Amino acid sequence: TLQIYFIGKKCEILQDMNRHLEAVLKEKKALRKRLLKPRCQESLPIEATFHKYIVELLSEAVTFIEKLESHLQTVRSIPQIPTVMKNMDTALSKAELLVMDLEALADEIPRWRELQKEVYSD
């Protein structure tokens, strides 16, 4: 009950974050163009010693934007986790039942062999 409340709150927070990230993703092309566009005419000049770091930073920003869809997909899948866990529990229970049946059959095989030997020896 209290745990469900906190899970619900976390889900709301994640959904808010998801909406924000989706809005950012819609701007992905515009952001990429802005990141790749030379900034020298729109901002303060950057000292030459920092140019290398700016290039690296822009490269990392473009990589982040490219991976954003994957991260959004991960966030979208969070509400489905309880259902996936329930399905996994069900599959595990079925597997355990199958293992028990298999063990029972494995115990029966030697008995069947003995019966077959008796039938053929008579």
Side-chain angles (χ1 to χ4, degrees):
T1 49
L2 187 60
Q3 185 180 10
I4 292 172
Y5 171 79
F6 284 115
I7 290 173
K9 281 293 183 191
K10 285 182 181 179
C11 188
E12 286 177 27
I13 291 167
L14 288 170
Q15 286 173 341
D16 287 343
M17 189 172 80
N18 187 27
R19 281 190 286 274
H20 171 72
L21 291 174
E22 284 177 339
V24 170
L25 187 61
K26 287 178 183 176
E27 298 293 325
K28 180 180 172 182
K29 287 184 182 179
L31 285 172
R32 179 181 274 167
K33 283 181 184 176
R34 285 176 51 203
L35 288 171
L36 294 175
K37 186 172 145 184
R39 306 288 297 174
C40 59
Q41 296 170 351
E42 299 178 18
S43 60
L44 295 173
I46 299 169
E47 290 182 35
T49 54
F50 298 120
H51 286 189
K52 177 179 102 174
Y53 302 111
I54 297 299
V55 169
E56 289 174 6
L57 179 64
L58 290 175
S59 172
E60 300 242 348
V62 170
T63 302
F64 171 79
I65 291 169
E66 289 172 348
K67 292 182 179 180
L68 189 57
E69 179 59 37
S70 168
H71 297 311
L72 284 173
Q73 194 60 35
T74 302
V75 170
R76 285 187 200 113
S77 71
I78 289 173
Q80 299 167 355
I81 289 175
T83 305
V84 171
M85 292 298 292
K86 183 179 176 187
N87 291 344
M88 287 174 62
D89 287 341
T90 303
L92 181 61
S93 298
K94 288 179 181 179
E96 288 171 348
L97 288 173
L98 289 171
V99 166
M100 289 172 25
D101 289 346
L102 184 61
E103 288 171 347
L105 285 172
D107 292 341
E108 290 292 321
I109 289 174
R111 289 188 209 126
W112 292 341
R113 284 187 180 148
E114 288 301 318
L115 282 172
Q116 289 297 319
K117 285 181 185 176
E118 290 175 14
V119 167
Y120 285 119
S121 65
D122 291 344

